Amino acid sequence: MKKPKSYKWQKNDGTGTMSRHLRSEHGLGPEGEEGSSGGGQAQLHGYASDMPGAGMPFVYNRDRMISELGRFIIADELPYSFGESVNYEYFNRVALQPQYRRVPRNTLKRRTQQSYYAYRGYLMEMFRTYDGRVSLTSDTWTSTYGEPFVCVIAHWIDNDWLLQKRIICFEAMEEAHNGFNIKSRIVSCCKNFHLVDKIFSISLDNATANTSAMQFLKEDPSIKLVLDEYGLRKKVIALDTPTRWNSTYKLLHDAIAYRDVLTDMYNESRATDGQFITNDHWSLAKIVHDVLETFDNATHIFSYVYEPNIHTVILECIKIICTIKQTSLANPGVAVKRLLDNMKVKWCAYFTEFPPIYAIAAILDPGVKLEGLTNLLTFYYQQLDVQFDVPYYVNNCKRILERLCEEYGAVIQPQPVGSSMGASRFGILGPVLKKSRPDGSGSSSSSSSSSSSSNIGVGEYLTYQFETEENFHIIEWWKNHSSKFPVLARIAKDILAIPASTIASESAFSAGRRVLDEKRSRLSSESIEMC
């Protein structure tokens, strides 16, 4: 064992002596790392450039560590007991921070509660002063252990034109899952977050209880639904579990890739009864696969949470109907025709007439607008073989938009603008969008602007066609044109925040399943909401 050495400090001494001692006696370089070499004065470690406090020296703070550990545990859906892990403590003390000590679970729980309620208060205050509209999605869920929950999620576009979503309610629901009780929970949540007079839309799936809840919401005097004031029926997204078209597509997609293997295996197992898989079976499977691929693509688009998708609903629906129609014409066989006819009947039950909010969102797409919407819907009903008064429907949507402009225009004054024309991002539907109207009168959007100041922006926006590139982003476009069309930009900001499906609620329930697992089955409903 080496004899201890003594060191004397003198004025103006640097850190060289300490560096040499660390290097010779402990095998550490001037930066305190094993195996490091080289001279020079040791530097204090600072925060990385992509972290808060970039460039500042790092100072260990246990209180801040506990807060950040709580945030990490919630974000990664870990149990509170993670902070008591001996192995995690050893890892931190050896590799990261020697001063780290384990954090008791109750301490972590208290700290996450403080952070949760602080952020909840921030959201309440933000919504109280928010001058825009908020769209909601809601659904109910029963956990693996039979505990019922209700979830409400808020969607909006902030002042930086970024699409936001936050879970504002994830509560245990001990009462019956009927329409009135679901409505009561949604209303209570809206009151807590100061949203009763700022709701633009509420999206529920097509369960019977949710349909009843929507009717109760319309009749509740404390809730002011902007869309309901203009005769818009509730938005229904067909998430019919018995059909599961997208699930069938994924199954066929995987099976077709292994058709030779599956054919051989099945045919060998059924050699005695003569029931074999033939090429005709695979041909039928490929036809169904190609049809359902369009459904799957649309499902992915409708599942976007941080990208706007409400304005794409009509376009995607037209692509689906075109695929069904073209497949039916190309395959006149009885089996295929029966299958496609049944799909068409099911489709018409939901989308014979689009809720006007979809059409208004399409009008607010500068590559579509009023003329493009008219052409698209005319083409859609031709493919669907359904008689429908498209001009009346489009004019009604235009009137609704103008009435919205009157309400918004009372606060915001529009300014005139001009622009260029062109659109090239709609693929096979591009020619449909550019097609002249049958009567030769051109677009209804070319009519003169209304004398009302609130409608001036609408008329000018509908009169001109705007150039939209292949990588066009609708929120970015409206952000850049908000000074030219302040009224329409504010309307677009509120409408484009509406989600095309209730996937956000389903995602929250998936997280709930991960949080409320067999190791955390005793979590209270308050703790589950925080997680």
Side-chain angles (χ1 to χ4, degrees):
M1 181 176 179
K2 293 184 178 181
K3 181 179 179 181
K5 295 181 180 180
S6 299
Y7 295 90
K8 181 180 179 180
W9 178 85
Q10 296 181 1
K11 187 177 181 180
N12 299 325
D13 280 353
T15 60
T17 302
M18 176 61 72
S19 298
R20 287 189 293 273
H21 169 74
L22 291 174
R23 203 162 44 242
S24 62
E25 302 297 328
H26 301 284
L28 299 175
E31 303 228 357
E33 298 179 358
E34 293 188 28
S36 60
S37 60
Q41 184 171 343
Q43 301 294 317
L44 291 173
H45 291 285
Y47 290 97
S49 60
D50 58 343
M51 298 296 293
M56 299 297 294
F58 172 80
V59 178
Y60 179 73
N61 183 298
R62 179 171 172 80
D63 186 68
R64 179 178 180 182
M65 180 276 294
I66 293 175
S67 296
E68 292 299 324
L69 180 59
R71 187 189 66 81
F72 164 69
I73 285 175
I74 295 299
D76 273 30
E77 302 167 1
L78 298 171
Y80 289 124
S81 59
F82 181 83
E84 298 178 335
S85 169
V86 176
N87 293 324
Y88 184 66
E89 180 188 38
Y90 178 80
F91 164 72
N92 271 282
R93 295 184 65 181
V94 170
L96 299 178
Q97 176 52 252
Q99 299 181 55
Y100 175 83
R101 295 296 182 272
R102 281 175 285 169
V103 183
R105 69 181 72 188
N106 289 331
T107 301
L108 271 177
K109 183 176 180 179
R110 286 195 300 270
R111 187 59 58 87
T112 53
Q113 284 178 332
Q114 293 171 5
S115 300
Y116 166 75
Y117 286 113
Y119 188 72
R120 181 183 173 91
Y122 160 77
L123 279 181
M124 289 179 176
E125 179 62 20
M126 188 276 293
F127 283 130
R128 188 184 68 82
T129 58
Y130 183 60
D131 60 353
R133 305 285 184 177
V134 177
S135 294
L136 304 179
T137 56
S138 180
D139 205 351
T140 55
W141 169 67
T142 302
S143 73
T144 307
Y145 302 95
E147 297 174 279
F149 291 88
V150 61
C151 176
V152 179
I153 301 178
H155 306 258
W156 76 100
I157 296 177
D158 63 19
N159 292 329
D160 294 323
W161 289 84
L162 298 175
L163 187 59
Q164 303 283 355
K165 80 174 179 76
R166 296 291 185 276
I167 299 176
I168 59 176
C169 173
F170 196 103
E171 300 176 349
M173 187 175 180
E174 299 177 355
E175 62 270 28
H177 288 192
N178 57 43
F180 180 80
N181 290 334
I182 294 174
K183 181 273 298 185
S184 299
R185 287 302 186 108
I186 295 175
V187 171
S188 175
C189 178
C190 292
K191 289 180 178 178
N192 290 338
F193 283 86
H194 310 289
L195 293 175
V196 290
D197 58 345
K198 299 177 181 180
I199 301 174
F200 200 87
S201 73
I202 300 178
S203 301
L204 307 172
D205 70 11
N206 59 340
T208 304
N210 286 334
T211 302
S212 175
M214 181 61 74
Q215 189 59 41
F216 280 119
L217 283 167
K218 289 183 177 181
E219 297 170 357
D220 193 303
S222 63
I223 295 293
K224 180 182 178 183
L225 284 171
V226 174
L227 299 185
D228 193 49
E229 293 179 358
Y230 302 110
L232 301 183
R233 64 184 178 89
K234 66 178 174 47
K235 177 169 65 67
V236 177
I237 304 300
L239 301 176
D240 198 1
T241 303
T243 56
R244 298 291 302 220
W245 289 338
N246 60 326
S247 297
T248 306
Y249 162 74
K250 292 175 181 177
L251 177 120
L252 291 174
H253 182 75
D254 293 337
I256 289 173
Y258 293 88
R259 58 177 293 175
D260 294 337
V261 176
L262 293 173
T263 300
D264 292 342
M265 289 181 60
Y266 182 84
N267 289 347
E268 287 178 6
S269 66
R270 305 303 295 269
T272 57
D273 56 19
Q275 295 183 8
F276 301 129
I277 295 180
T278 66
N279 288 334
D280 291 339
H281 291 119
W282 285 113
S283 297
L284 178 60
K286 185 64 168 64
I287 292 171
V288 176
H289 168 273
D290 292 345
V291 172
L292 296 185
E293 185 175 21
T294 311
F295 282 91
D296 188 68
N297 293 336
T299 299
H300 283 291
I301 293 175
F302 297 159
S303 298
Y304 292 162
V305 173
Y306 289 109
E307 290 291 334
N309 53 19
I310 188 72
H311 64 294
T312 66
V313 171
I314 292 179
L315 286 169
E316 295 303 318
C317 288
I318 294 175
K319 292 177 183 178
I320 291 173
I321 288 302
C322 284
T323 301
I324 293 176
K325 182 70 175 289
Q326 293 170 4
T327 304
S328 180
L329 294 175
N331 301 276
V334 176
V336 175
K337 187 177 186 305
R338 185 187 301 115
L339 173 66
L340 296 177
D341 286 346
N342 289 337
M343 293 178 69
K344 187 176 176 181
V345 170
K346 185 71 173 180
W347 180 269
C348 290
Y350 290 99
F351 292 109
T352 296
E353 179 179 351
F354 290 104
I357 188 61
Y358 293 147
I360 294 173
I363 293 173
L364 292 174
D365 186 331
V368 179
K369 297 189 298 179
L370 218 59
E371 180 181 10
L373 177 64
T374 302
N375 294 335
L376 285 171
L377 289 177
T378 300
F379 179 73
Y380 173 75
Y381 289 109
Q382 288 174 353
Q383 299 296 307
L384 205 58
D385 297 323
V386 171
Q387 295 295 323
F388 189 80
D389 192 348
V390 173
Y392 175 81
Y393 174 82
V394 172
N395 287 332
N396 181 55
C397 294
K398 180 184 177 183
R399 286 193 296 269
I400 293 172
L401 182 58
E402 290 173 345
R403 291 168 64 183
L404 283 173
C405 284
E406 291 175 2
E407 177 179 329
Y408 282 71
V411 180
I412 304 171
Q413 195 70 14
Q415 302 173 5
V417 64
S419 186
S420 57
M421 61 186 295
S424 61
R425 58 186 171 85
F426 298 96
I428 62 173
L429 296 179
V432 177
L433 284 166
K434 298 178 181 179
K435 183 176 61 177
S436 300
R437 293 180 61 184
D439 58 5
S441 60
S443 170
S444 59
S445 64
S446 61
S447 57
S448 60
S449 303
S450 169
S451 59
S452 171
S453 62
S454 63
N455 287 338
I456 292 177
V458 182
E460 292 186 350
Y461 168 75
L462 295 176
T463 301
Y464 295 96
Q465 291 184 336
F466 301 89
E467 183 176 357
T468 57
E469 303 297 334
E470 198 69 31
N471 58 351
F472 169 81
H473 193 280
I474 190 168
I475 291 183
E476 189 71 22
W477 191 93
W478 278 108
K479 175 184 178 181
N480 295 335
H481 291 77
S482 59
S483 61
K484 299 178 181 179
F485 299 104
V487 176
L488 280 175
R490 178 60 64 87
I491 294 173
K493 186 178 179 183
D494 291 338
I495 289 181
L496 294 176
I498 300 174
S501 72
T502 59
I503 192 66
S505 299
E506 300 299 334
S507 178
F509 295 148
S510 296
R513 292 186 187 95
R514 295 192 297 270
V515 170
L516 199 62
D517 60 13
E518 59 183 8
K519 295 182 179 180
R520 309 179 74 185
S521 59
R522 294 181 60 191
L523 281 175
S524 65
S525 59
E526 291 81 6
S527 296
I528 293 173
E529 185 172 13
M530 288 190 297
C531 294

